[in-house]
Amino acid sequence: MIVCMSESGTSTTPYDSLGGEAAVRRFVDRFYDLMESEPEYSALRAMHAPDLAPMRRSLAGFLTGWLGGPRQWFEENVGVCVMSAHAALPITAETSRQWTDAMARALTESNIDADLAARMNDAFEKMAGGMSRMAANRDN
Ligand code: HEM
């Protein structure tokens, strides 16, 4: 988890600095809106179920805990590793790039602080790159 220092010197979480529940909901909704509406993300969209509502809730819940906010998602998904949850999916370098590109756009368009967004994008690129390499190793 990334921990930030506030101006008063006390530590705060990325979840608090980016604006809490409403901000996470805003950028996660923007991410799935882009996935649904932009043809350049159609391969990524095609991997998901027709109804994205459960994913909107699950990704927002995961990222809330990951960013240092309430950990309800982790309490409801004890032992679930987000990397392993993707191990059986046919993720390619291209769908991995679509995911990180759509998320970077969603963060920018939701006015998330640029420094924090850059650190989040960095972490997402590492995770998404690992997911596509896991799939490539499995399928070779
Ligand atoms: C590498 C690119 C990625 C692709 C192609 C991808 C694709 C998917 C797909 C197809 C699902 C299942 C959707 C469904 O059942 O309809 C899913 C679920 C999920 N993904 Fe990803 N994903 C990627 C990266 C990530 C990353 C980087 C994260 C975390 C930051 C993440 C977090 C999640 C979560 C939390 C779920 C829901 C798990 C659940 O509730 O069962 N994904 N993803």
Side-chain angles (χ1 to χ4, degrees):
M1 185 189 58
I2 312 167
V3 175
C4 310
M5 298 299 284
S6 70
E7 279 168 23
S8 62
T10 53
S11 64
T12 180
T13 64
Y15 177 79
D16 290 329
S17 356
L18 64 73
E21 185 183 350
V24 173
R25 199 173 324 116
R26 196 164 55 240
F27 79 73
V28 168
D29 275 339
R30 186 68 194 134
F31 170 74
Y32 285 112
D33 289 347
L34 286 167
M35 197 196 285
E36 289 210 276
S37 63
E38 296 288 321
E40 66 190 281
Y41 305 131
S42 57
L44 179 62
R45 175 67 186 92
M47 294 177 70
H48 289 75
D51 181 7
L52 288 174
M55 284 303 106
R56 287 175 190 262
R57 280 195 296 278
S58 189
L59 184 60
F62 169 78
L63 290 174
T64 293
W66 183 77
L67 288 161
R71 297 187 56 79
Q72 192 182 335
W73 188 94
F74 290 85
E75 283 152 16
E76 289 170 356
N77 294 277
V78 175
V80 174
C81 159
V82 80
M83 296 297 292
S84 310
H86 291 75
L89 296 175
I91 297 177
T92 61
E94 172 57 22
T95 47
S96 171
R97 190 201 58 76
Q98 291 184 12
W99 197 103
T100 52
D101 193 76
M103 182 55 81
R105 274 182 67 182
L107 292 172
T108 302
E109 292 174 13
S110 308
N111 296 318
I112 299 300
D113 172 79
D115 286 342
L116 185 49
R119 292 161 71 199
M120 291 167 67
N121 286 329
D122 203 42
F124 292 150
E125 277 168 24
K126 290 193 174 89
M127 292 162 89
M131 288 169 184
S132 65
R133 281 192 297 278
M134 266 189 322
N137 290 338
R138 182 198 59 219
D139 297 338
N140 272 337

